[in-house]
């Protein structure tokens, strides 16, 4: 009952996290990758020994070739992404790495650039939005249909709306972290968000399902008490399941390839926030929805 009694504290905490994330998104902006803007992806490999990422970034900065995104690629190379498709820019990036310090052990090899046109970037961006919106609408319809028998206290469609509120909370906060850290918003980031949506709604439905069962079993006439008991019954299961999944993703962050590190970081944050929202946000919101519905029913009767 601790969560139920102190739900306003958790509402305020979640609100502050969301506001802070939105502030970061709108003030710092998002580092949108060439997947969505169009540009060129250039791979340069070092057959013998790859230099430090910090040295490569410094060399590119000194060359003043414009804005270039750099990340380790595989075990022996770097991936350079720029919105410019000019051959001179690609050559300037390569030339910047041909300094004495950078080629002390091996001469880098530049592979053929991979071009992504603006129209392709626009198409990918549209498909990303369609994927997210489709998932959200599907969740609302699925939850509303599944919980139609639990609508005595709260209308079934409100279960779906509350689930979406929790999901919005779960993707806004990781996106705010991405804005803070300058993480590239590309295909992997969208995949991470979709994974967060799926894993988070699973936790939420587990709790909601126990609420539905307790309503049918008439565990308590007091809806607030019923939700509190449902949370107590599912709390350990939700935490253990999330921790198990989170350990795998955290392990991927530390020992996985550098190309998936940002993906693992965003997914880890999303998993933690999703577990929190399922327990501390979505379920308490059911209580508020029930209170509003009760007032509406009283008003209709009068």
């Amino acid at each position: 009952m601790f969560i139920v009694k102190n739900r306003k504290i958790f509402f305020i905490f979640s609100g502050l996290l969301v506001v802070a994330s939105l502030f970061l998104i709108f003030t710092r902006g998002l580092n949108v990758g060439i997947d969505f803007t169009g540009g060129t992806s250039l791979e340069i490999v070092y057959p013998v020994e790859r230099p430090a990422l910090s040295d490569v970034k410094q060399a590119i900065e000194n060359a003043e070739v414009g804005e270039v995104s750099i990340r380790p690629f595989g075990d022996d190379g770097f991936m350079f992404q720029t919105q410019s498709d000019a051959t001179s820019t690609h050559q300037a990036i390569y030339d910047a790495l041909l300094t004495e310090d950078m080629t002390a052990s091996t001469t880098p090899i530049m592979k053929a650039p991979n071009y992504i046109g603006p129209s392709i970037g626009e198409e990918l961006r549209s498909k990303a939005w369609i994927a997210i919106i489709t998932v959200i609408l599907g969740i609302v319809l699925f939850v509303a249909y599944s919980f139609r028998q639990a609508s005595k206290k709260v209308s079934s469609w409100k279960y779906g709306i509350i689930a979406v509120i929790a999901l919005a909370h779960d993707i806004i906060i990781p996106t705010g972290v991405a804005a803070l850290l300058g993480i590239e918003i590309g295909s992997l980031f969208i995949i991470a968000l979709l994974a967060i949506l799926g894993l988070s709604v699973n936790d939420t439905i587990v709790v909601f399902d126990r609420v539905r069962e307790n309503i049918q079993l008439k565990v308590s006439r007091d809806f607030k008490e019923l939700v509190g008991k449902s949370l107590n019954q599912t709390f350990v299961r939700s935490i253990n399941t999330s921790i198990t999944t989170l350990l795998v993703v955290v392990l991927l962050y530390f020992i996985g390839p550098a190309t998936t590190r940002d993906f693992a970081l965003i997914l880890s944050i999303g998993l933690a926030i999703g577990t929190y929202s399922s327990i501390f946000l979505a379920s308490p919101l059911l209580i508020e929805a029930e209170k509003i519905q009760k007032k509406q029913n009283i008003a209709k009767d009068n």
Side-chain angles (χ1 to χ4, degrees):
M1 294 296 289
F2 170 80
I3 298 171
V4 170
K5 290 179 180 178
N6 297 279
R7 61 187 182 278
K8 291 184 179 180
I9 295 175
F10 299 118
F11 291 160
I12 293 172
F13 178 67
S14 293
L16 290 175
L17 287 178
V18 170
V19 169
S21 298
L22 290 173
F23 176 79
L24 288 169
I25 292 169
F26 288 109
T27 56
R28 295 179 64 91
L30 296 175
N31 178 24
V32 182
I34 64 170
D35 288 353
F36 301 136
T37 61
T40 305
S41 180
L42 182 68
E43 183 184 350
I44 297 179
V45 300
Y46 288 81
V48 179
E49 182 181 355
R50 183 172 65 185
L53 176 60
S54 56
D55 294 337
V56 173
K57 287 184 176 180
Q58 188 60 53
I60 296 300
E61 184 178 336
N62 293 340
E64 298 181 352
V65 294
E67 187 174 347
V68 181
S69 171
I70 310 169
R71 69 172 186 268
F73 186 79
D75 296 325
D76 58 358
F78 292 98
M79 182 68 71
F80 300 82
Q81 293 184 329
T82 173
Q83 293 187 6
S84 172
D85 59 359
T87 304
S88 57
T89 301
H90 311 155
Q91 189 62 45
I93 292 173
Y94 180 71
D95 291 343
L97 304 179
L98 295 178
T99 63
E100 184 177 351
D101 293 337
M102 300 290 290
T103 59
S105 57
T106 180
T107 300
I109 299 173
M110 180 171 64
K111 295 190 176 181
N114 179 32
Y115 298 96
I116 299 178
S119 60
I120 297 177
E122 178 66 29
E123 181 181 356
L124 289 172
R125 185 163 62 247
S126 299
K127 287 184 176 180
W129 277 112
I130 291 171
I132 292 174
I133 293 172
T134 301
V135 168
I136 291 174
L137 288 176
I139 288 170
V140 172
L141 295 174
F142 170 77
V143 173
Y145 178 78
S146 299
F147 289 87
R148 64 193 185 282
Q149 296 178 351
S151 59
K152 294 180 181 178
K153 297 289 185 178
V154 179
S155 299
S156 61
W157 64 269
K158 290 182 180 178
Y159 282 87
I161 296 299
I162 290 172
V164 169
I165 291 173
L167 290 176
H169 168 275
D170 298 342
I171 62 175
I172 288 173
I173 293 173
T175 304
V177 173
L180 176 65
L181 301 179
I183 292 175
E184 182 179 297
I185 308 299
S187 300
L188 275 180
F189 181 82
I190 299 301
I191 292 171
L193 290 187
L194 292 173
I196 290 169
L197 289 174
L199 293 167
S200 176
V201 77
N202 179 68
D203 281 343
T204 301
I205 288 177
V206 166
V207 181
F208 282 5
D209 195 52
R210 185 52 58 92
V211 171
R212 176 177 60 180
E213 290 178 1
N214 287 336
I215 289 174
Q216 293 172 346
L217 293 173
K218 299 179 180 179
V219 171
S220 174
R221 291 185 177 182
D222 185 356
F223 189 69
K224 183 168 67 174
E225 182 180 348
L226 187 145
V227 171
K229 289 183 178 181
S230 301
L231 282 171
N232 290 339
Q233 292 167 356
T234 57
F235 184 85
V236 174
R237 175 187 171 183
S238 295
I239 294 295
N240 288 342
T241 302
S242 297
I243 288 177
T244 303
T245 309
L246 189 59
L247 285 174
V248 176
V249 180
V250 170
L251 195 63
L252 176 64
Y253 176 81
F254 285 106
I255 68 173
T259 51
T260 61
R261 192 158 293 162
D262 289 343
F263 167 81
L265 176 62
I266 293 299
L267 190 53
S268 298
I269 294 170
L271 281 171
I273 293 297
T275 303
Y276 162 82
S277 70
S278 299
I279 298 171
F280 297 93
L281 180 62
S283 301
L285 280 174
L286 278 178
I287 299 172
E288 299 301 321
E290 189 268 345
K291 288 170 63 178
I292 294 172
Q293 186 162 316
K294 185 184 292 185
K295 290 179 180 179
Q296 290 174 344
N297 292 336
I298 293 174
K300 288 180 180 179
D301 294 338
N302 294 334

